[in-house]
Amino acid sequence: MTRSPEERTSAGREAEESVCAYLGERGMRVVERNFRARGGEIDLIARDGDVLAFVEVRFREEDGHGLPEESVGPAKRKRIAAAARAYLSTIPPDSWREARFDVAAVDGSGAAPAIRYYPAAFDAKGKIL
Amino acid sequence: MVAGVDEAGRGPLAGPVMAAAVVLPAGFSRSELRDSKALSPKARERAFSLVTLNALAFAVGHSTPEEIDRINILRASLLAMRRAVEKLEPAPDFLYIDGNLTIPPPQGGPWGSIRQEAIISGDARCVSVMAASILAKVTRDRLMLEYDRVYPGYGFASHKGYPTKAHLAALAVLGPSPIHRKTFRGVSPG
């Protein structure tokens, strides 16, 4: 299926919405959405106590180009890491102990999209873990 | 719904025995949990998040040191598993249990309709049992870190209650703490 740019954005927002709800159910608190800095954007920033998770939300419908979670390329990972460093400089240093980069893949739309969640999917250098 | 069940902390001289029950989504592959048995605490923490963030349901349960002393460690670990399973929401209808025993079902309740199968070294063969093993171990380790603050001097933060040389030496000097298993060899003097 092809979508217009407007439809793509709204599908992406819907995917972010469902990941927010998903994280909330699992005891994580979403503290920022669409945080932009230093040329990068972080879809969601969530907290589990003193652990911070920078979450990249991937949404894609079946299009024969592989899984959505496989589509976070090296350049994208670096931009996310750069934005994350900027974010960390804005919060009190003692308010977090650990930070990690997660990827949430949202499959399909509608009432109950399937979410596959990968904590610590890559590190601050963009290396896949 | 199929749940994997495992326990951690049968061997230590102190602290509870912890059990976990986990229901994973279809298609959750074993490879995602690979290396989780590796000793690196960091890898284990990551596997812990991977399980808690993807599981359709999970729960932990434990038995106290007093219970372990009263009914023996084997029955106490089965009791801990039963408590974990009973907290699962929604209730499962099939359990894979690590080891060679199934959980003695209590009278009444939903247990009549839950089928069980014990699988030996299930923590290596069945992905949901592997997940339960990680949850039980990490949860227990975290609890022992807390106990280290409540009962300092024994080194719970490092050995988690297992009978290391340092632990036995501390026991010889300090005597047992309230969370020691009094019926275990090496805990009480004599």
Side-chain angles (χ1 to χ4, degrees):
Chain A
M1 186 164 73
T2 10
R3 292 167 175 273
S4 70
E6 295 76 39
E7 277 175 326
R8 264 205 299 275
T9 319
S10 97
R13 203 163 296 141
E14 213 176 277
E16 277 174 25
E17 209 60 68
S18 54
V19 173
C20 278
Y22 183 91
L23 290 173
E25 280 166 24
R26 281 161 177 77
M28 297 196 48
R29 196 163 50 88
V30 174
V31 291
E32 293 278 349
R33 295 182 61 162
N34 307 110
F35 176 85
R36 277 166 226 240
R38 291 189 203 159
E41 175 171 1
I42 300 165
D43 293 333
L44 303 172
I45 302 175
R47 238 177 207 283
D48 182 2
D50 52 6
V51 177
L52 269 176
F54 300 103
V55 188
E56 171 68 8
V57 177
R58 290 314 245 192
F59 167 76
R60 198 192 265 173
E61 278 170 291
E62 202 44 68
D63 61 358
H65 287 293
L67 295 170
E69 55 267 47
E70 288 163 351
S71 67
V72 189
K76 177 77 180 170
R77 295 196 295 270
K78 278 190 184 132
R79 282 199 302 274
I80 294 170
R85 278 190 289 274
Y87 175 76
L88 291 177
S89 70
T90 68
I91 60 170
D94 58 355
S95 70
W96 62 283
R97 176 178 53 89
E98 219 178 291
R100 58 170 207 230
F101 297 91
D102 297 357
V103 174
V106 182
D107 232 332
S109 48
I115 292 172
R116 291 181 299 277
Y117 199 93
Y118 302 86
F122 57 92
D123 69 12
K125 292 192 178 98
K127 196 175 126 237
I128 292 184
L129 295 172
Chain B
M1 292 244 301
V2 178
V5 185
D6 197 6
E7 119 298 301
R10 256 154 64 158
L13 305 180
V17 58
M18 188 70 70
V22 181
V23 181
L24 291 175
F28 194 86
S29 77
R30 184 186 308 243
S31 67
E32 316 205 60
L33 290 183
R34 72 183 184 276
D35 300 333
S36 62
K37 279 262 154 174
L39 290 175
S40 140
K42 200 162 185 171
R44 211 156 37 217
E45 286 289 331
R46 186 183 169 204
F48 180 88
S49 305
L50 187 67
V51 172
T52 55
L53 286 165
N54 288 285
L56 299 178
F58 68 89
V60 295
H62 73 271
S63 291
T64 64
E66 294 77 33
E67 286 172 319
I68 295 167
D69 287 332
R70 200 169 66 235
I71 64 176
N72 86 38
I73 182 62
L74 190 63
R75 285 163 65 196
S77 37
L78 291 168
L79 178 61
M81 291 196 210
R82 191 181 104 192
R83 286 173 176 158
V85 171
E86 284 175 345
K87 279 198 258 170
L88 272 186
E89 181 73 50
D93 37 42
F94 194 98
L95 307 175
Y96 279 119
I97 314 230
D98 183 61
N100 57 1
L101 295 170
T102 54
I103 302 171
Q107 253 86 53
W111 280 86
S113 58
I114 303 180
R115 289 187 300 143
Q116 307 185 39
E117 191 177 319
I119 60 173
I120 290 161
S121 42
D123 54 351
R125 287 161 61 199
C126 168
V127 67
S128 59
V129 176
M130 200 185 294
S133 141
I134 291 159
L135 245 54
K137 168 128 188 77
V138 172
T139 308
R140 187 176 188 285
D141 284 358
R142 288 181 180 173
L143 192 64
M144 292 313 287
L145 288 181
E146 299 288 318
Y147 275 131
D148 184 56
R149 262 173 283 192
V150 185
Y151 306 110
Y154 294 96
F156 289 143
S158 55
H159 55 62
K160 314 294 190 297
Y162 282 89
T164 62
K165 230 175 227 172
H167 187 183
L168 295 173
L171 262 173
V173 177
L174 302 171
S177 74
I179 61 158
H180 273 94
R181 304 170 180 178
K182 314 277 183 299
T183 54
F184 276 41
R185 189 189 301 242
V187 171
S188 301

